[in-house]
Amino acid sequence: MDLRSFNTFALNGKAREIHSATSRDELVSLWQMAKSKNLPALLLGEGSNVLFVNNFDGIVILNRITGLTITQSPHEWFVHVGAGENWHQLIVELMERGIHGMENLALIPGTVGAAPIQNTGAYGVEMKDVCNYVDVVDLDRGEQHRLSAFDCKFSYRDSIFKHELRNDYAIVSVGFKLNKLWKPILTYRDLATLDVEVVTPKKLFETVCGIRRSKLPDPAKIGNAGSFFKASTVAKEFADQIKDRYPDCPEYHQIDGTVKIAAGWMIDRCNLKGSRFGGAAVHDEHAVVLVNKNNATGEDIVNLASFIHKAVLDEFGVSLEPEVRFIGTNGEMNAIEAIRRRESSSIQCTS
Ligand code: NAP
């Protein structure tokens, strides 16, 4: 079956079977059906953070569990949401009900259930800041467990769901905790024009949506999976050496003393905007985004990523880490290994 409409890169991969699960029990039985056929199973939301490198020789299970329940205490809103709900629509729905705190995360593609996996974040707010708990089902046993936000081990674009709970568990619902006293987070440069004293949640929401629409390609028009690489975190001494060579390098100092450097900035400094490999290209506006320009294959995108990885490593000594998850014939593969393997074959891109 064709995977094209199930990944925002709009790649033409194939899977043996694709099924939707609208309940926890359906998820479990589809998973066990795949196991009984000795086939790999892949859980997917809206496919906004995956790269199908090849055809997937297994069963894709689309998490389509819906539902929204809202309760409150004197100071907080408690929001319980099915994992298959659309992330942006949730924010819109909450705003309409006067529940705020997620405006910075507006317009991020994907489902609610995908957000905890990589601790989705934008403009100074991350999933970990709004998460109360995550409900998972153990797909082998059919048992449900609740993890507190602390249990989820959230860190930069990372969580327990990429490690200990990466296999054999599915997120079925997410609980959010939002303070009734709304405080705008305007620390990112793009939001600095807003006045903290007068800004409203709606204004912040509209500003974030406006910025994203102006900078990021719409997956409905050109296939992409948002930021392809994570920002890199390096030691201060290392960042200082980069700063000596590139005084304009934007640096973001972390509380642990390390320094975050934007992947897109490094790729741009390597003059790679617009570079192409086959049907894949580095987006002209935003270098951290790779796009499916013209019937790209998964291999085209990995090769382009590999070329970028090598260029940035040679210029800055920084090894970029993909944020997008790579799916091979039998399931998720090690993205950085896939990229490095192709580096040895001297890939050439066109500009
Ligand atoms: P940007 O605001 O210039 O951010 C570029 C990079 O610099 C990001 O990695 C961001 O870190 C970092 N950064 C910028 N200002 C920072 C600050 N005040 N403190 C700490 N780090 C800072 O431009 P952008 O690339 O359009 O991104 C805007 C926001 O949307 C960012 O938060 C970005 O991560 C997010 N975004 C996410 C995706 C995705 O697919 N996950 C796609 C596009 C944009 P952070 O990544 O930690 O924010």
Side-chain angles (χ1 to χ4, degrees):
M1 291 178 81
D2 199 345
L3 285 166
R4 189 182 168 91
S5 42
F6 301 106
N7 73 104
T8 60
F9 255 128
L11 295 168
N12 276 324
K14 299 257 184 264
R16 280 201 190 211
E17 297 175 33
I18 302 174
H19 299 278
S20 294
T22 55
S23 68
R24 181 189 70 189
D25 292 346
E26 258 186 308
L27 266 184
V28 173
S29 64
L30 284 165
W31 177 267
Q32 292 178 354
M33 183 261 285
K35 284 279 157 89
S36 69
K37 291 183 178 180
N38 229 354
L39 288 172
L42 175 72
L43 296 164
L44 212 56
E46 290 175 14
S48 59
N49 199 37
V50 289
L51 169 64
F52 285 105
V53 178
N54 320 105
N55 289 332
F56 173 64
D57 190 21
I59 297 180
V60 171
I61 305 170
L62 305 170
N63 189 331
R64 295 291 178 261
I65 300 172
T66 56
L68 171 66
T69 317
I70 299 170
T71 52
Q72 57 180 302
S73 72
H75 302 295
E76 283 158 328
W77 294 108
F78 300 103
V79 182
H80 179 92
V81 194
E85 293 281 357
N86 176 270
W87 177 264
H88 179 71
Q89 284 312 315
L90 170 67
I91 297 176
V92 171
E93 173 97 33
L94 293 179
M95 292 230 335
E96 281 168 3
R97 295 176 187 224
I99 300 173
H100 306 301
M102 291 170 68
E103 298 72 26
N104 299 51
L105 300 169
L107 224 56
I108 294 178
T111 58
V112 168
I117 299 174
Q118 67 153 347
N119 184 24
T120 290
Y123 302 105
V125 177
E126 289 181 323
M127 180 70 198
K128 73 169 172 46
D129 303 318
V130 291
C131 180
N132 192 15
Y133 57 79
V134 176
D135 289 332
V136 295
V137 60
D138 175 335
L139 292 160
D140 287 331
R141 298 198 170 100
E143 293 163 2
Q144 189 164 322
H145 304 280
R146 175 161 293 184
L147 281 79
S148 69
F150 179 81
D151 297 334
C152 294
K153 298 188 183 171
F154 290 125
S155 62
Y156 181 63
R157 301 286 186 267
D158 204 12
S159 74
I160 195 169
F161 309 108
K162 284 190 175 181
H163 302 280
E164 296 96 307
L165 300 194
R166 177 170 145 170
N167 300 313
D168 310 332
Y169 287 85
I171 295 175
V172 289
S173 48
V174 179
F176 297 86
K177 186 163 70 170
L178 297 161
N179 207 310
K180 288 186 178 174
L181 191 67
W182 180 72
K183 279 201 201 124
I185 310 281
L186 307 176
T187 46
Y188 273 46
R189 193 183 39 204
D190 280 349
L191 303 179
T193 50
L194 297 172
D195 182 345
V196 70
E197 300 299 331
V198 296
V199 69
T200 61
K202 189 160 186 283
K203 176 71 184 163
L204 176 54
F205 170 85
E206 283 167 354
T207 305
V208 168
C209 291
I211 298 165
R212 289 187 74 100
R213 286 200 177 98
S214 70
K215 279 169 87 168
L216 293 163
D218 178 356
K221 295 186 183 138
I222 181 159
N224 75 89
S227 298
F228 194 88
F229 294 102
K230 296 180 196 177
S232 301
T233 304
V234 300
K236 184 178 177 308
E237 299 69 36
F238 192 84
D240 289 345
Q241 287 169 21
I242 295 179
K243 194 87 179 166
D244 284 344
R245 288 169 52 222
Y246 290 96
D248 65 330
C249 172
E251 296 182 335
Y252 304 102
H253 292 264
Q254 308 294 289
I255 38 175
D256 63 2
T258 57
V259 178
K260 190 162 61 169
I261 302 179
W265 181 86
M266 290 187 277
I267 299 168
D268 196 13
R269 280 298 170 280
C270 292
N271 290 319
L272 293 178
K273 267 187 189 159
S275 293
R276 298 174 76 153
F277 186 97
V282 180
H283 188 48
D284 293 324
E285 306 288 323
H286 207 335
V288 80
V289 181
L290 306 191
V291 295
N292 176 356
K293 186 115 181 165
N294 186 15
N295 289 321
T297 63
E299 277 293 333
D300 289 345
I301 292 170
V302 187
N303 281 315
L304 180 61
S306 180
F307 183 78
I308 293 167
H309 183 267
K310 183 165 186 323
V312 170
L313 189 62
D314 290 350
E315 183 60 29
F316 294 97
V318 171
S319 174
L320 290 180
E321 230 182 279
E323 181 173 314
V324 172
R325 305 177 80 174
F326 288 24
I327 311 298
T329 315
N330 294 308
E332 186 164 3
M333 55 207 276
N334 185 315
I336 195 71
E337 271 176 20
I339 280 182
R340 288 210 181 114
R341 209 174 309 129
R342 283 154 183 89
E343 264 169 23
S344 50
S345 52
S346 308
I347 294 156
Q348 289 304 317
C349 290
T350 51
S351 47

